[in-house]
Each structure stands twice: as C-alpha cells, then as structure tokens.
Amino acid sequence: MSKRVVKKGTYGFVESQGENVLKVDTEKMRAVRLMFDLCLDGMSLGQIKDIIDVQGILYPAKYKKDTPTGWSLAEISKILSNPIYSDERYKIISTQEFKVAQRMLKLNTRVTGKKIEISALVGIAVCSECGSFLVEKSVSSRGRKYLYYICGKYKKNGGCSAHKIAVLELNRRVLEILQYQNMDMLSFKELTREMAIKYLERVCVNSAGDIESVERNT
Ligand SMILES: [Zn+2]
C-alpha cells in the first residue's frame, strides 16, 4: 500500500524544525477528532462550526497572522473529507468512521434539539429499491415522539417509497444478526451507533423493513 503524503499546511500537522517531515500536533488533532465525532453524530457543518467556535478551537490561519478568523464551513468540510486522518500511521479516526463521515456529509442530516444523538444505522442502512441511505424521521403522536428510518430519497422529494421502519425495530433486527454471527455480542441489549460504525459496512432494507443483506466490516 502506498503511503499518503501529508500536504503542507494540513490541519493538525506541524513542520518540525530542521527536518523535512510533518509531525502531529496533538491538540489540533483532538479538534479534528471532535469534528469527526460531531459529524458522525449527524451535525451539519454549521452546527460543527458553532461548537468548535465556542470551544475556542482556532482556525489554522490564526497561528500565521494576527487577525483572528473564524472557521469557515469550507475549511471544516475540507478536514472532514481528507483521508489522511484515517491513515494507519496517524489513526485519528478509523477507516470505517471516515467512510461513514463521507456519507454523513452527503446526507446533510441535522440534529434538532440539544441532545446530540443519532440513530445507530444512519449512513449505514440503505434502501434496497433506490440505494439511498435511510434517514431519520420523528413522528409525534399523542405527546410521544417516535423515531423511524425512512428512505432518504423519499424524504427529500417523495421519490421511491417510504420504507418506514421504527428505529428500535430495525436496530433490534440488526443486533440479532450480529449476535447470531458473533457470540461475544450476546450481552449487548441494544445496537449503539459505535457498534454499528465499527462492525457494519452496509445494511440493505426492503420496503417491508426486512433486511436483505448485511455487509460486515472487514
Ligand atoms: Zn428508496
């Protein structure tokens, strides 16, 4: 495997004096990790910007010039799209996390409310009919909120069909499959987002909510 070259000026790397190599800046890499975590939690670029601005994480140019500049969405997007952070030499995030992050960027999902939580299979479960990723939809009924996965294409423009299935139900079915294949997982009561990202590449779901195929991470 050919090694990726770190481009000069890549956020999270510093030039070490006298040597022609780039070293990891731990503090900035922590910020990179945070950006990826927020992205995987389903936050939009704007929401990620708000959080890192509040945390006082400085835009790279701040170190070069005296004028403070805030983060631009383009800069955040550039970081989240750069595979160097999943490179085996640095391992800021795993390859699978990077892949899901790329899907999350395309999905442009938004988390409403204060609590950052996104259903386990967003960016992983796909509609078997049109191939779009399933996205979340919450439905309120008699003061209670119910969460469903629905086809992303349907949510966007009414194309395809709803493919509606309760989040808890699909998560339960997927967990059962994982447990069937791996006894070590028997103690888990529910499918968490961390588990889904770690173990699953793709879960294909048909319009009846039945799982057609499960691709595991290798
Ligand atoms: Zn569809």
Side-chain angles (χ1 to χ4, degrees):
M1 209 170 90
S2 65
K3 279 187 177 174
R4 252 182 219 106
V5 178
V6 184
K7 285 202 194 93
K8 226 175 156 178
T10 303
Y11 191 76
F13 293 92
V14 277
E15 258 179 285
S16 55
Q17 283 187 338
E19 294 168 66
N20 200 16
V21 283
L22 291 167
K23 288 187 174 161
V24 167
D25 178 326
T26 317
E27 193 149 324
K28 284 186 189 170
M29 279 307 186
R30 219 173 279 143
V32 171
R33 176 74 233 186
L34 174 67
M35 285 180 227
F36 274 101
D37 282 341
L38 296 172
C39 174
L40 291 170
D41 280 340
M43 294 204 140
S44 67
L45 291 175
Q47 288 171 316
I48 296 172
K49 173 185 154 58
D50 289 347
I51 289 179
I52 59 177
D53 278 346
V54 167
Q55 301 233 337
I57 294 167
L58 298 179
Y59 176 75
K62 171 80 180 186
Y63 295 104
K64 292 177 194 157
K65 298 170 189 169
D66 289 338
T67 31
T69 41
W71 282 90
S72 72
L73 300 187
E75 191 62 42
I76 298 168
S77 171
K78 202 171 127 192
I79 288 173
L80 294 174
S81 318
N82 191 343
I84 197 72
Y85 300 114
S86 65
D87 191 284
E88 55 183 11
R89 283 168 296 168
Y90 311 113
K91 284 199 182 120
I92 309 305
I93 53 157
S94 70
T95 317
Q96 176 60 4
E97 285 171 321
F98 182 76
K99 274 192 219 161
V100 177
Q102 301 321 295
R103 297 169 195 165
M104 299 305 291
L105 287 172
K106 280 201 203 105
L107 278 177
N108 196 23
T109 48
R110 262 155 239 271
V111 178
T112 46
K114 279 189 188 132
K115 200 174 171 210
I116 308 167
E117 202 174 282
I118 195 157
S119 298
L121 294 166
V122 174
I124 294 166
V126 294
C127 164
S128 68
E129 266 174 272
C130 72
S132 301
F133 286 104
L134 302 188
V135 295
E136 285 177 328
K137 182 180 171 63
S138 78
V139 176
S140 294
S141 170
R142 295 177 196 184
R144 281 199 65 186
K145 227 176 90 177
Y146 300 90
L147 265 184
Y148 295 90
Y149 291 114
I150 62 166
C151 169
K153 190 174 178 184
Y154 177 83
K155 192 179 184 188
K156 203 170 170 189
N157 56 23
C160 198
S161 63
H163 278 250
K164 189 171 153 190
I165 177 166
V167 163
L168 290 175
E169 178 60 20
L170 186 61
N171 289 0
R172 189 185 62 74
R173 291 183 194 178
V174 170
L175 179 62
E176 269 178 18
I177 293 174
L178 283 177
Q179 288 176 327
Y180 183 75
Q181 295 170 339
N182 186 342
M183 293 300 167
D184 293 347
M185 290 186 189
L186 282 176
S187 60
F188 292 104
K189 294 282 176 279
E190 61 181 288
L191 183 76
T192 64
R193 180 130 180 96
E194 289 73 23
M195 285 166 72
I197 291 174
K198 188 170 174 197
Y199 296 110
L200 298 163
E201 169 74 31
R202 205 168 286 246
V203 174
C204 198
V205 184
N206 71 16
S207 54
D210 294 324
I211 297 164
E212 290 197 345
S213 64
V214 172
E215 277 173 57
R216 293 280 302 268
N217 260 329
T218 44

